[in-house]
Amino acid sequence: MKPMITIRPARAGDADVLPDIEQSAGLAFRAIPELAWLADGDNVSAERQRALIAEGACWVAADDQDRPVGFLSAGLEGFALHIWELDVRLDRQGSGIGSALLERAIKDARRRGLAVLMLTTFRDVAWNAPFYRKFGFRILEGAEVDERLSGLLSSEAEHGMPLDRRCAMKLDLG
């Protein structure tokens, strides 16, 4: 029997455990030699997570003891919900938790009357762009990448992300 998972809004008290979940999720990058360094990279700080939680667009997947095992942190950017992080503990990956978190974010964005969801991710990592495509996200090309997203991709490149493997994605909610 699968342990029960509940998707709920993140609370300020959850912020302290989210960097550990991100660290655990990042261990999956060890399976990709040229990206293995990401497994030991920096995580979003608990302070930044608290700020995102305060905006009201972050959710956790909690186990039957109400302990977070996954999360989606997003922020409102005009008429868009921008997904900053979607992470599930390595030992819980592949069980539908990431999908449930993303579905909750999409439902909430629609409830808010937002036009789109946006994010930046790896084009060719199975749990990145190919995962989001299953939900209707598409990779933005050329002039579709606005100044904000272009700036994010440039900043990621400055932090060591291979720009040729990164992309911006969008899900139209209209």
Side-chain angles (χ1 to χ4, degrees), residues 52-116:
L52 290 167
I53 290 168
E55 288 184 26
C58 299
W59 299 269
V60 297
D63 67 12
D64 55 0
Q65 307 279 313
D66 200 37
R67 294 176 302 221
V69 297
F71 70 94
L72 186 149
S73 290
L76 298 173
E77 299 286 338
F79 292 102
L81 183 69
H82 185 94
I83 298 172
W84 294 107
E85 280 292 323
L86 172 54
D87 291 309
V88 176
R89 290 189 59 76
L90 185 63
D91 62 340
R92 303 300 291 268
Q93 290 177 8
S95 63
I97 294 171
S99 294
L101 284 161
L102 185 56
E103 287 167 0
R104 178 67 178 266
I106 292 168
K107 180 179 174 183
D108 187 76
R110 284 194 168 108
R111 180 188 61 78
R112 292 172 189 255
L114 298 175
V116 297

Short mmCIF file of all heavy atoms in Angstrom, two decimals, residues 52-116:
data_model
loop_
_atom_site.label_atom_id
_atom_site.label_comp_id
_atom_site.label_asym_id
_atom_site.label_seq_id
_atom_site.Cartn_x
_atom_site.Cartn_y
_atom_site.Cartn_z
N LEU A 52 8.60 33.30 -0.81
CA LEU A 52 7.72 32.74 -1.83
C LEU A 52 6.43 32.20 -1.21
O LEU A 52 5.34 32.40 -1.76
CB LEU A 52 8.45 31.64 -2.62
CG LEU A 52 9.57 32.13 -3.54
CD1 LEU A 52 10.41 30.95 -4.02
CD2 LEU A 52 8.99 32.90 -4.72
N ILE A 53 6.55 31.56 -0.07
CA ILE A 53 5.37 31.03 0.63
C ILE A 53 4.43 32.18 1.00
O ILE A 53 3.21 32.06 0.85
CB ILE A 53 5.79 30.20 1.86
CG1 ILE A 53 6.46 28.89 1.42
CG2 ILE A 53 4.59 29.93 2.78
CD1 ILE A 53 7.17 28.13 2.53
N ALA A 54 5.00 33.28 1.43
CA ALA A 54 4.18 34.44 1.82
C ALA A 54 3.38 34.99 0.64
O ALA A 54 2.30 35.55 0.83
CB ALA A 54 5.07 35.54 2.41
N GLU A 55 3.88 34.79 -0.60
CA GLU A 55 3.15 35.23 -1.79
C GLU A 55 1.93 34.35 -2.06
O GLU A 55 1.07 34.71 -2.87
CB GLU A 55 4.06 35.22 -3.03
CG GLU A 55 5.10 36.31 -3.05
CD GLU A 55 5.91 36.31 -4.33
OE1 GLU A 55 5.40 35.84 -5.39
OE2 GLU A 55 7.05 36.77 -4.29
N GLY A 56 1.89 33.18 -1.45
CA GLY A 56 0.71 32.31 -1.56
C GLY A 56 0.65 31.43 -2.79
O GLY A 56 -0.43 31.00 -3.17
N ALA A 57 1.79 31.15 -3.42
CA ALA A 57 1.79 30.30 -4.61
C ALA A 57 2.80 29.17 -4.47
O ALA A 57 3.55 28.87 -5.40
CB ALA A 57 2.06 31.13 -5.86
N CYS A 58 2.82 28.56 -3.31
CA CYS A 58 3.72 27.43 -3.05
C CYS A 58 2.94 26.32 -2.37
O CYS A 58 2.09 26.59 -1.52
CB CYS A 58 4.88 27.86 -2.16
SG CYS A 58 5.90 29.14 -2.89
N TRP A 59 3.25 25.09 -2.76
CA TRP A 59 2.56 23.94 -2.22
C TRP A 59 3.56 22.88 -1.82
O TRP A 59 4.65 22.80 -2.37
CB TRP A 59 1.60 23.35 -3.28
CG TRP A 59 0.57 24.34 -3.68
CD1 TRP A 59 -0.66 24.52 -3.12
CD2 TRP A 59 0.68 25.33 -4.71
NE1 TRP A 59 -1.32 25.56 -3.75
CE2 TRP A 59 -0.51 26.06 -4.72
CE3 TRP A 59 1.68 25.67 -5.63
CZ2 TRP A 59 -0.75 27.11 -5.60
CZ3 TRP A 59 1.45 26.71 -6.51
CH2 TRP A 59 0.25 27.43 -6.50
N VAL A 60 3.16 22.06 -0.85
CA VAL A 60 3.98 20.91 -0.48
C VAL A 60 3.16 19.64 -0.64
O VAL A 60 1.92 19.66 -0.56
CB VAL A 60 4.52 21.00 0.97
CG1 VAL A 60 5.45 22.18 1.15
CG2 VAL A 60 3.41 21.01 1.99
N ALA A 61 3.88 18.56 -0.88
CA ALA A 61 3.32 17.22 -0.83
C ALA A 61 3.74 16.68 0.52
O ALA A 61 4.94 16.55 0.79
CB ALA A 61 3.88 16.36 -1.96
N ALA A 62 2.76 16.44 1.39
CA ALA A 62 3.05 16.01 2.75
C ALA A 62 2.66 14.56 2.94
O ALA A 62 1.64 14.10 2.40
CB ALA A 62 2.31 16.90 3.75
N ASP A 63 3.47 13.85 3.71
CA ASP A 63 3.18 12.44 3.99
C ASP A 63 2.11 12.34 5.08
O ASP A 63 1.56 13.35 5.53
CB ASP A 63 4.45 11.68 4.35
CG ASP A 63 5.09 12.12 5.68
OD1 ASP A 63 4.45 12.86 6.46
OD2 ASP A 63 6.24 11.71 5.92
N ASP A 64 1.81 11.12 5.51
CA ASP A 64 0.73 10.93 6.48
C ASP A 64 1.05 11.49 7.87
O ASP A 64 0.18 11.54 8.73
CB ASP A 64 0.32 9.45 6.56
CG ASP A 64 1.48 8.53 6.87
OD1 ASP A 64 2.63 9.01 7.04
OD2 ASP A 64 1.26 7.32 6.93
N GLN A 65 2.30 11.93 8.08
CA GLN A 65 2.68 12.61 9.33
C GLN A 65 2.75 14.13 9.11
O GLN A 65 3.29 14.84 9.94
CB GLN A 65 4.06 12.11 9.78
CG GLN A 65 4.18 10.60 9.89
CD GLN A 65 3.61 10.10 11.19
OE1 GLN A 65 3.90 10.65 12.24
NE2 GLN A 65 2.80 9.06 11.11
N ASP A 66 2.28 14.59 7.94
CA ASP A 66 2.30 16.00 7.53
C ASP A 66 3.73 16.53 7.34
O ASP A 66 3.98 17.72 7.45
CB ASP A 66 1.51 16.90 8.49
CG ASP A 66 1.13 18.22 7.84
OD1 ASP A 66 0.81 18.23 6.63
OD2 ASP A 66 1.19 19.26 8.52
N ARG A 67 4.66 15.63 7.01
CA ARG A 67 6.04 16.04 6.71
C ARG A 67 6.17 16.22 5.20
O ARG A 67 5.84 15.30 4.44
CB ARG A 67 7.04 14.98 7.18
CG ARG A 67 7.10 14.82 8.67
CD ARG A 67 8.04 13.70 9.02
NE ARG A 67 7.56 12.47 8.36
CZ ARG A 67 7.56 11.27 8.92
NH1 ARG A 67 8.04 11.09 10.13
NH2 ARG A 67 7.09 10.22 8.27
N PRO A 68 6.66 17.38 4.75
CA PRO A 68 6.84 17.59 3.31
C PRO A 68 7.86 16.62 2.71
O PRO A 68 8.92 16.38 3.30
CB PRO A 68 7.35 19.03 3.23
CG PRO A 68 6.81 19.69 4.46
CD PRO A 68 6.90 18.60 5.51
N VAL A 69 7.50 16.04 1.56
CA VAL A 69 8.41 15.17 0.82
C VAL A 69 8.65 15.72 -0.59
O VAL A 69 9.48 15.21 -1.33
CB VAL A 69 7.89 13.71 0.74
CG1 VAL A 69 7.80 13.10 2.13
CG2 VAL A 69 6.56 13.64 0.01
N GLY A 70 7.92 16.77 -0.93
CA GLY A 70 8.07 17.44 -2.22
C GLY A 70 7.44 18.81 -2.12
O GLY A 70 6.68 19.09 -1.20
N PHE A 71 7.80 19.67 -3.09
CA PHE A 71 7.22 21.01 -3.08
C PHE A 71 7.30 21.64 -4.46
O PHE A 71 8.12 21.26 -5.30
CB PHE A 71 7.90 21.91 -2.05
CG PHE A 71 9.32 22.29 -2.39
CD1 PHE A 71 9.61 23.48 -3.06
CD2 PHE A 71 10.39 21.47 -2.04
CE1 PHE A 71 10.90 23.84 -3.38
CE2 PHE A 71 11.68 21.82 -2.36
CZ PHE A 71 11.95 23.00 -3.04
N LEU A 72 6.45 22.63 -4.66
CA LEU A 72 6.49 23.49 -5.83
C LEU A 72 6.45 24.91 -5.31
O LEU A 72 5.52 25.28 -4.59
CB LEU A 72 5.31 23.23 -6.76
CG LEU A 72 5.33 23.98 -8.10
CD1 LEU A 72 4.65 23.15 -9.17
CD2 LEU A 72 4.71 25.35 -8.00
N SER A 73 7.51 25.67 -5.63
CA SER A 73 7.58 27.08 -5.25
C SER A 73 7.42 27.91 -6.50
O SER A 73 8.12 27.70 -7.49
CB SER A 73 8.94 27.42 -4.62
OG SER A 73 9.06 26.82 -3.36
N ALA A 74 6.48 28.85 -6.45
CA ALA A 74 6.21 29.71 -7.60
C ALA A 74 6.00 31.13 -7.11
O ALA A 74 5.85 31.39 -5.92
CB ALA A 74 4.97 29.21 -8.34
N GLY A 75 5.99 32.03 -8.07
CA GLY A 75 5.75 33.43 -7.77
C GLY A 75 4.91 34.06 -8.86
O GLY A 75 4.93 33.60 -10.01
N LEU A 76 4.18 35.09 -8.50
CA LEU A 76 3.35 35.81 -9.47
C LEU A 76 4.22 36.82 -10.20
O LEU A 76 4.93 37.61 -9.58
CB LEU A 76 2.20 36.50 -8.76
CG LEU A 76 1.23 35.56 -8.03
CD1 LEU A 76 0.23 36.35 -7.21
CD2 LEU A 76 0.53 34.65 -9.02
N GLU A 77 4.17 36.77 -11.52
CA GLU A 77 4.90 37.69 -12.38
C GLU A 77 3.90 38.27 -13.37
O GLU A 77 3.68 37.70 -14.44
CB GLU A 77 6.03 36.95 -13.14
CG GLU A 77 7.08 36.32 -12.25
CD GLU A 77 8.02 37.33 -11.62
OE1 GLU A 77 8.15 38.44 -12.16
OE2 GLU A 77 8.62 37.00 -10.59
N GLY A 78 3.25 39.35 -12.98
CA GLY A 78 2.21 39.93 -13.83
C GLY A 78 1.04 38.96 -13.96
O GLY A 78 0.45 38.55 -12.97
N PHE A 79 0.73 38.58 -15.22
CA PHE A 79 -0.37 37.65 -15.47
C PHE A 79 0.12 36.20 -15.58
O PHE A 79 -0.56 35.36 -16.16
CB PHE A 79 -1.14 38.05 -16.74
CG PHE A 79 -1.88 39.34 -16.57
CD1 PHE A 79 -1.38 40.52 -17.10
CD2 PHE A 79 -3.06 39.38 -15.84
CE1 PHE A 79 -2.06 41.71 -16.93
CE2 PHE A 79 -3.74 40.57 -15.65
CZ PHE A 79 -3.23 41.74 -16.20
N ALA A 80 1.31 35.95 -15.04
CA ALA A 80 1.89 34.61 -15.12
C ALA A 80 2.22 34.10 -13.73
O ALA A 80 2.51 34.86 -12.81
CB ALA A 80 3.16 34.64 -15.97
N LEU A 81 2.18 32.78 -13.61
CA LEU A 81 2.72 32.11 -12.44
C LEU A 81 4.05 31.52 -12.88
O LEU A 81 4.09 30.73 -13.83
CB LEU A 81 1.77 31.00 -11.96
CG LEU A 81 2.21 30.28 -10.68
CD1 LEU A 81 2.11 31.23 -9.48
CD2 LEU A 81 1.35 29.06 -10.44
N HIS A 82 5.13 31.96 -12.25
CA HIS A 82 6.45 31.46 -12.62
C HIS A 82 6.86 30.39 -11.62
O HIS A 82 6.92 30.65 -10.42
CB HIS A 82 7.50 32.58 -12.63
CG HIS A 82 8.82 32.09 -13.13
ND1 HIS A 82 9.20 32.21 -14.45
CD2 HIS A 82 9.83 31.44 -12.51
CE1 HIS A 82 10.39 31.66 -14.61
NE2 HIS A 82 10.79 31.17 -13.44
N ILE A 83 7.12 29.19 -12.12
CA ILE A 83 7.56 28.09 -11.27
C ILE A 83 9.07 28.21 -11.08
O ILE A 83 9.84 28.14 -12.04
CB ILE A 83 7.20 26.73 -11.90
CG1 ILE A 83 5.67 26.61 -12.03
CG2 ILE A 83 7.78 25.58 -11.07
CD1 ILE A 83 5.21 25.39 -12.80
N TRP A 84 9.47 28.41 -9.83
CA TRP A 84 10.89 28.53 -9.51
C TRP A 84 11.51 27.17 -9.21
O TRP A 84 12.63 26.90 -9.62
CB TRP A 84 11.09 29.47 -8.31
CG TRP A 84 10.71 30.87 -8.62
CD1 TRP A 84 9.60 31.54 -8.19
CD2 TRP A 84 11.41 31.79 -9.47
NE1 TRP A 84 9.57 32.81 -8.71
CE2 TRP A 84 10.68 32.99 -9.50
CE3 TRP A 84 12.59 31.71 -10.21
CZ2 TRP A 84 11.08 34.11 -10.22
CZ3 TRP A 84 12.99 32.82 -10.94
CH2 TRP A 84 12.24 34.00 -10.94
N GLU A 85 10.80 26.33 -8.49
CA GLU A 85 11.33 25.01 -8.11
C GLU A 85 10.19 24.01 -8.05
O GLU A 85 9.10 24.33 -7.55
CB GLU A 85 11.98 25.04 -6.73
CG GLU A 85 13.37 25.59 -6.66
CD GLU A 85 14.40 24.73 -7.35
OE1 GLU A 85 14.31 23.49 -7.29
OE2 GLU A 85 15.32 25.31 -7.96
N LEU A 86 10.45 22.81 -8.51
CA LEU A 86 9.56 21.67 -8.32
C LEU A 86 10.47 20.51 -7.97
O LEU A 86 11.28 20.07 -8.79
CB LEU A 86 8.76 21.36 -9.58
CG LEU A 86 7.92 20.07 -9.57
CD1 LEU A 86 6.99 19.98 -8.38
CD2 LEU A 86 7.15 19.92 -10.87
N ASP A 87 10.41 20.08 -6.71
CA ASP A 87 11.33 19.04 -6.23
C ASP A 87 10.60 18.01 -5.40
O ASP A 87 9.69 18.34 -4.64
CB ASP A 87 12.43 19.66 -5.36
CG ASP A 87 13.40 20.51 -6.17
OD1 ASP A 87 13.91 20.01 -7.18
OD2 ASP A 87 13.65 21.67 -5.78
N VAL A 88 11.03 16.76 -5.56
CA VAL A 88 10.52 15.65 -4.78
C VAL A 88 11.73 14.87 -4.27
O VAL A 88 12.69 14.63 -5.02
CB VAL A 88 9.61 14.73 -5.63
CG1 VAL A 88 9.15 13.52 -4.84
CG2 VAL A 88 8.42 15.51 -6.18
N ARG A 89 11.69 14.50 -2.99
CA ARG A 89 12.81 13.73 -2.41
C ARG A 89 13.15 12.56 -3.34
O ARG A 89 12.26 11.93 -3.90
CB ARG A 89 12.43 13.17 -1.04
CG ARG A 89 12.31 14.19 0.06
CD ARG A 89 12.14 13.52 1.42
NE ARG A 89 13.27 12.65 1.71
CZ ARG A 89 14.48 13.07 2.11
NH1 ARG A 89 14.69 14.35 2.28
NH2 ARG A 89 15.44 12.22 2.34
N LEU A 90 14.42 12.27 -3.47
CA LEU A 90 14.88 11.24 -4.40
C LEU A 90 14.16 9.91 -4.16
O LEU A 90 13.75 9.24 -5.10
CB LEU A 90 16.40 11.06 -4.29
CG LEU A 90 17.02 10.09 -5.29
CD1 LEU A 90 16.83 10.59 -6.72
CD2 LEU A 90 18.50 9.91 -4.99
N ASP A 91 13.99 9.52 -2.89
CA ASP A 91 13.36 8.23 -2.58
C ASP A 91 11.86 8.20 -2.85
O ASP A 91 11.24 7.15 -2.78
CB ASP A 91 13.65 7.82 -1.13
CG ASP A 91 13.10 8.78 -0.10
OD1 ASP A 91 12.81 9.95 -0.43
OD2 ASP A 91 12.97 8.36 1.07
N ARG A 92 11.26 9.35 -3.20
CA ARG A 92 9.83 9.42 -3.49
C ARG A 92 9.54 9.76 -4.95
O ARG A 92 8.39 9.88 -5.35
CB ARG A 92 9.14 10.45 -2.59
CG ARG A 92 9.32 10.23 -1.09
CD ARG A 92 8.77 8.89 -0.60
NE ARG A 92 7.34 8.80 -0.65
CZ ARG A 92 6.51 9.10 0.33
NH1 ARG A 92 6.97 9.53 1.47
NH2 ARG A 92 5.22 8.97 0.17
N GLN A 93 10.61 9.93 -5.75
CA GLN A 93 10.43 10.28 -7.15
C GLN A 93 9.82 9.12 -7.93
O GLN A 93 10.01 7.96 -7.57
CB GLN A 93 11.76 10.72 -7.77
CG GLN A 93 12.22 12.05 -7.23
CD GLN A 93 13.57 12.49 -7.77
OE1 GLN A 93 14.14 11.90 -8.68
NE2 GLN A 93 14.09 13.56 -7.19
N GLY A 94 9.08 9.46 -8.98
CA GLY A 94 8.48 8.44 -9.83
C GLY A 94 7.16 7.91 -9.32
O GLY A 94 6.63 6.96 -9.87
N SER A 95 6.62 8.55 -8.29
CA SER A 95 5.36 8.05 -7.72
C SER A 95 4.18 9.00 -7.97
O SER A 95 3.12 8.84 -7.38
CB SER A 95 5.52 7.81 -6.22
OG SER A 95 5.81 9.02 -5.55
N GLY A 96 4.38 10.00 -8.85
CA GLY A 96 3.29 10.90 -9.19
C GLY A 96 3.20 12.15 -8.34
O GLY A 96 2.30 12.98 -8.54
N ILE A 97 4.10 12.33 -7.40
CA ILE A 97 4.05 13.49 -6.52
C ILE A 97 4.32 14.78 -7.30
O ILE A 97 3.61 15.78 -7.13
CB ILE A 97 5.04 13.33 -5.34
CG1 ILE A 97 4.58 12.17 -4.45
CG2 ILE A 97 5.17 14.63 -4.55
CD1 ILE A 97 5.58 11.77 -3.37
N GLY A 98 5.33 14.77 -8.17
CA GLY A 98 5.62 15.95 -8.97
C GLY A 98 4.44 16.33 -9.85
O GLY A 98 4.09 17.52 -9.96
N SER A 99 3.80 15.34 -10.45
CA SER A 99 2.62 15.60 -11.28
C SER A 99 1.49 16.20 -10.46
O SER A 99 0.83 17.15 -10.90
CB SER A 99 2.13 14.30 -11.93
OG SER A 99 3.09 13.82 -12.85
N ALA A 100 1.27 15.68 -9.27
CA ALA A 100 0.20 16.20 -8.40
C ALA A 100 0.48 17.65 -8.00
O ALA A 100 -0.43 18.48 -7.98
CB ALA A 100 0.04 15.32 -7.16
N LEU A 101 1.73 17.96 -7.71
CA LEU A 101 2.09 19.34 -7.36
C LEU A 101 1.87 20.28 -8.55
O LEU A 101 1.32 21.37 -8.40
CB LEU A 101 3.55 19.41 -6.89
CG LEU A 101 3.81 18.88 -5.48
CD1 LEU A 101 5.29 18.58 -5.29
CD2 LEU A 101 3.31 19.88 -4.44
N LEU A 102 2.29 19.84 -9.73
CA LEU A 102 2.12 20.67 -10.92
C LEU A 102 0.65 20.87 -11.24
O LEU A 102 0.21 21.98 -11.57
CB LEU A 102 2.88 20.08 -12.11
CG LEU A 102 2.88 20.90 -13.38
CD1 LEU A 102 3.43 22.31 -13.14
CD2 LEU A 102 3.69 20.19 -14.46
N GLU A 103 -0.14 19.82 -11.13
CA GLU A 103 -1.58 19.93 -11.38
C GLU A 103 -2.22 20.93 -10.42
O GLU A 103 -3.10 21.71 -10.80
CB GLU A 103 -2.25 18.56 -11.28
CG GLU A 103 -1.93 17.68 -12.47
CD GLU A 103 -2.31 16.21 -12.28
OE1 GLU A 103 -2.83 15.85 -11.19
OE2 GLU A 103 -2.09 15.43 -13.21
N ARG A 104 -1.78 20.93 -9.17
CA ARG A 104 -2.31 21.88 -8.18
C ARG A 104 -1.95 23.31 -8.57
O ARG A 104 -2.78 24.22 -8.47
CB ARG A 104 -1.78 21.54 -6.79
CG ARG A 104 -2.22 22.49 -5.70
CD ARG A 104 -3.74 22.39 -5.44
NE ARG A 104 -4.14 23.26 -4.37
CZ ARG A 104 -4.25 22.91 -3.10
NH1 ARG A 104 -3.99 21.65 -2.73
NH2 ARG A 104 -4.62 23.77 -2.20
N ALA A 105 -0.71 23.53 -9.03
CA ALA A 105 -0.29 24.87 -9.44
C ALA A 105 -1.10 25.35 -10.65
O ALA A 105 -1.52 26.51 -10.70
CB ALA A 105 1.20 24.89 -9.75
N ILE A 106 -1.34 24.46 -11.60
CA ILE A 106 -2.12 24.81 -12.79
C ILE A 106 -3.55 25.17 -12.38
O ILE A 106 -4.11 26.18 -12.83
CB ILE A 106 -2.10 23.65 -13.82
CG1 ILE A 106 -0.69 23.48 -14.40
CG2 ILE A 106 -3.13 23.89 -14.93
CD1 ILE A 106 -0.49 22.19 -15.19
N LYS A 107 -4.14 24.36 -11.52
CA LYS A 107 -5.50 24.62 -11.04
C LYS A 107 -5.56 25.98 -10.33
O LYS A 107 -6.49 26.77 -10.54
CB LYS A 107 -5.93 23.49 -10.09
CG LYS A 107 -7.31 23.64 -9.52
CD LYS A 107 -7.64 22.47 -8.62
CE LYS A 107 -8.97 22.65 -7.92
NZ LYS A 107 -9.27 21.56 -7.00
N ASP A 108 -4.57 26.27 -9.50
CA ASP A 108 -4.56 27.53 -8.76
C ASP A 108 -4.38 28.71 -9.71
O ASP A 108 -5.04 29.75 -9.55
CB ASP A 108 -3.46 27.53 -7.71
CG ASP A 108 -3.54 28.76 -6.83
OD1 ASP A 108 -4.43 28.79 -5.96
OD2 ASP A 108 -2.74 29.70 -7.04
N ALA A 109 -3.52 28.56 -10.71
CA ALA A 109 -3.32 29.64 -11.68
C ALA A 109 -4.62 29.95 -12.42
O ALA A 109 -4.96 31.12 -12.64
CB ALA A 109 -2.21 29.27 -12.66
N ARG A 110 -5.34 28.91 -12.79
CA ARG A 110 -6.64 29.11 -13.45
C ARG A 110 -7.62 29.82 -12.50
O ARG A 110 -8.34 30.73 -12.91
CB ARG A 110 -7.22 27.78 -13.90
CG ARG A 110 -6.55 27.25 -15.14
CD ARG A 110 -7.36 26.11 -15.78
NE ARG A 110 -6.83 25.83 -17.09
CZ ARG A 110 -6.13 24.75 -17.40
NH1 ARG A 110 -5.90 23.81 -16.50
NH2 ARG A 110 -5.68 24.58 -18.63
N ARG A 111 -7.64 29.40 -11.25
CA ARG A 111 -8.53 30.01 -10.26
C ARG A 111 -8.23 31.50 -10.11
O ARG A 111 -9.13 32.32 -9.95
CB ARG A 111 -8.38 29.30 -8.91
CG ARG A 111 -9.27 29.87 -7.80
CD ARG A 111 -8.94 29.28 -6.44
NE ARG A 111 -7.58 29.53 -6.00
CZ ARG A 111 -7.14 30.69 -5.48
NH1 ARG A 111 -7.95 31.72 -5.38
NH2 ARG A 111 -5.90 30.81 -5.08
N ARG A 112 -6.96 31.86 -10.19
CA ARG A 112 -6.54 33.26 -10.07
C ARG A 112 -6.79 34.05 -11.36
O ARG A 112 -6.59 35.26 -11.38
CB ARG A 112 -5.04 33.34 -9.76
CG ARG A 112 -4.66 32.83 -8.40
CD ARG A 112 -3.13 32.79 -8.29
NE ARG A 112 -2.68 32.12 -7.10
CZ ARG A 112 -2.18 32.75 -6.03
NH1 ARG A 112 -2.08 34.06 -6.02
NH2 ARG A 112 -1.77 32.06 -5.00
N GLY A 113 -7.17 33.37 -12.43
CA GLY A 113 -7.40 34.05 -13.69
C GLY A 113 -6.11 34.41 -14.41
O GLY A 113 -6.09 35.31 -15.26
N LEU A 114 -5.03 33.69 -14.11
CA LEU A 114 -3.74 33.96 -14.76
C LEU A 114 -3.75 33.40 -16.18
O LEU A 114 -4.46 32.44 -16.48
CB LEU A 114 -2.59 33.36 -13.96
CG LEU A 114 -2.43 33.93 -12.54
CD1 LEU A 114 -1.35 33.17 -11.79
CD2 LEU A 114 -2.12 35.42 -12.59
N ALA A 115 -2.97 34.02 -17.05
CA ALA A 115 -2.94 33.64 -18.46
C ALA A 115 -1.99 32.47 -18.74
O ALA A 115 -2.26 31.65 -19.61
CB ALA A 115 -2.55 34.84 -19.32
N VAL A 116 -0.88 32.41 -17.99
CA VAL A 116 0.16 31.43 -18.32
C VAL A 116 0.92 30.97 -17.08
O VAL A 116 0.92 31.65 -16.05
CB VAL A 116 1.20 31.99 -19.34
CG1 VAL A 116 0.55 32.32 -20.66
CG2 VAL A 116 1.92 33.19 -18.78
#
